[in-house]
Amino acid sequence: MNFDANGLFNPENKFWMFMDKIMNLCVIGFLWFLFSLPVVTAGAATTALFSYTLRMTQNEEGYIFKSFWNSFRENFVRSTMLWLCVAGIGLFLAVDLYACQFLPFGTSVRLGVRIVLASIGFVYFLTVLYVFPLTSAFSISFKKTVMDALIMSVGNLYVSVTIVVIYGIFAVVSWFVPVLFMVWFALASYFASHFYHSVFQRYMPEDEENSNNSW
């Protein structure tokens, strides 16, 4: 067997290309965390993260900070509005579920209300999974973003469940190594972005495939 030292240190070597992607994901994860610290900017930061990871699946990511900042700035208003709505609805559902135990009705009625709220919460959760990736990929209205996220998440349930599993696995990893949770989130988002991309492609007319998306 001949050992090719030049091939080993070639930047086009698959190993170094893989390591480059890992390092980029680490950086984008820290950028996401940093820009999410004010909390109210978490939606825009998440949109910027997905803007990068979606491009990454097509090997079109470009410069990390420039790509992240451009998406953060351009989608700030829409992403922030979505984030505030997502957080508000999530809080409302959580409070309602908690309040069910205090309803002045029988156990069966309270159980029925919990089941209804849990079902609504499940659909809400699936919709939220698609909201920010959609915002990063398409320049569409607030209402259309929410409606498309709902349709795509429920209409591609097996893909949505796969994405949930991906984030679930990395959530477990984050439990054991919490100090790097932002890196695990970026890695999970990268793997999930492959599935998001496949779903988005199904809903794009062929003549608009290259003109209406940002990745």
Side-chain angles (χ1 to χ4, degrees):
M1 182 187 304
N2 294 324
F3 177 74
D4 185 2
N6 291 329
L8 177 63
F9 295 102
N10 186 342
E12 298 300 322
N13 181 291
K14 289 184 178 180
F15 172 77
W16 294 116
M17 291 175 67
F18 170 77
M19 292 303 298
D20 184 60
K21 282 188 179 292
I22 294 298
M23 289 303 300
N24 289 347
L25 285 169
C26 290
V27 174
I28 207 72
F30 278 102
L31 284 175
W32 168 77
F33 174 69
L34 181 65
F35 279 74
S36 296
L37 283 178
V39 181
V40 73
T41 60
T46 304
T47 296
L49 170 72
F50 279 113
S51 178
Y52 189 82
T53 57
L54 281 167
R55 285 194 178 99
M56 206 174 197
T57 63
Q58 305 303 302
N59 296 314
E60 299 173 353
E61 57 267 30
Y63 294 106
I64 301 176
F65 184 80
K66 182 179 179 181
S67 297
F68 186 93
W69 173 249
N70 285 343
S71 177
F72 182 88
R73 177 174 49 83
E74 292 169 5
N75 298 295
F76 182 80
V77 175
R78 192 158 47 110
S79 296
T80 302
M81 289 175 60
L82 285 166
W83 165 243
L84 293 176
C85 288
V86 163
I89 295 172
L91 180 61
F92 177 78
L93 288 173
V95 171
D96 279 358
L97 277 171
Y98 175 76
C100 281
Q101 61 186 312
F102 303 111
L103 289 174
F105 302 108
T107 303
S108 59
V109 174
R110 290 199 296 269
L111 177 61
V113 174
R114 284 197 182 98
I115 292 173
V116 171
L117 286 174
S119 300
I120 295 173
F122 179 69
V123 175
Y124 156 82
F125 177 69
L126 292 183
T127 303
V128 171
L129 282 178
Y130 284 76
V131 163
F132 297 109
L134 264 173
T135 304
S136 72
F138 301 96
S139 297
I140 53 180
S141 67
F142 179 96
K143 180 180 178 181
K144 184 168 175 56
T145 299
V146 175
M147 291 304 299
D148 285 356
L150 173 61
I151 293 170
M152 290 181 182
S153 62
V154 177
N156 299 274
L157 192 58
Y158 65 99
V159 178
S160 300
V161 171
T162 302
I163 292 171
V164 171
V165 170
I166 290 172
Y167 279 106
I169 291 172
F170 280 93
V172 172
V173 175
S174 297
W175 176 265
F176 291 101
V177 191
V179 71
L180 294 176
F181 79 93
M182 70 287 291
V183 174
W184 307 135
F185 181 72
L187 283 168
S189 297
Y190 170 66
F191 288 116
S193 289
H194 287 84
F195 294 94
Y196 285 128
H197 184 269
S198 67
V199 171
F200 294 166
Q201 291 288 85
R202 298 173 193 170
Y203 293 85
M204 292 173 59
E206 291 184 7
D207 58 339
E208 296 181 4
E209 183 172 335
N210 296 319
S211 60
N212 288 349
N213 67 79
S214 60
W215 35 267

